[in-house]
Amino acid sequence: MGKLVKSEKEWKKKLSSVEYGVLRGQGTERPFTSRLLEEKRTGDFLCVACGNKLFSSEAKFESGTGWPSFDKVKDGGAVVLGVREHGGHEVSCKKCGGHLGHAFSDGPLISTGKRYCINGVALKFSSKNK
Ligand SMILES: [Zn+2]
């Protein structure tokens, strides 16, 4: 996968201030604010910054945390997991390095065991029925 490298100035121009705060500033959106929580259509969730396909709609589940949650990454190489001080992992986009959210090991799927807790502002939904 080709990496997308931009200066912070370029990212500021490309992203909205809310997106920038999460993706480049490691921020976290307020829970229950993402419209993607209600997204139930079939499709893919892409990185809003670079279009990298991160999660498929099949992996989305209702976690009750207030953030869009997934039990597995679309393609194992789409994200990078880093160490997080308070437990779990930092999740970032492998292509652009943007911060997406956090991963925990209490997911519902036995095969992955993961719960990816992702900021909705870092994602954009692409419906398959377009
Ligand atoms: Zn990205």
Side-chain angles (χ1 to χ4, degrees):
M1 185 192 305
K3 287 229 181 266
L4 184 70
V5 180
K6 284 183 189 287
S7 69
E8 290 309 304
K9 204 173 157 189
E10 288 173 305
W11 282 125
K12 256 189 193 147
K13 222 185 261 179
K14 180 174 165 62
L15 302 171
S16 74
S17 61
V18 177
E19 290 164 359
Y20 184 87
V22 169
L23 285 149
R24 312 307 306 177
Q26 321 295 311
T28 299
E29 71 190 7
R30 282 191 301 121
F32 300 102
T33 56
S34 174
R35 59 195 162 75
L36 292 180
L37 285 170
E38 300 303 320
E39 183 56 71
K40 305 266 197 280
R41 288 173 292 167
T42 302
D44 292 315
F45 292 85
L46 319 182
C47 173
V48 78
C50 73
N52 187 12
K53 278 188 187 167
L54 302 169
F55 303 98
S56 106
S57 54
E58 288 153 43
K60 192 167 185 283
F61 71 99
E62 200 47 68
S63 66
T65 57
W67 290 281
S69 300
F70 304 88
D71 54 29
K72 73 173 194 235
V73 181
K74 186 168 175 70
D75 157 2
V79 304
V80 177
L81 295 184
V83 178
R84 183 171 180 247
E85 215 178 299
H86 311 292
H89 296 277
E90 297 279 347
V91 182
S92 28
C93 173
K94 191 163 188 181
K95 188 166 176 188
C96 70
H99 171 79
L100 303 169
H102 299 103
F104 303 93
S105 300
D106 58 5
L109 262 197
I110 292 166
S111 58
T112 66
K114 286 271 185 283
R115 170 169 60 90
Y116 295 91
C117 191
I118 305 298
N119 290 288
V121 299
L123 299 173
K124 85 182 153 197
F125 180 71
S126 165
S127 168
K128 273 214 172 98
N129 310 316
K130 245 189 252 170

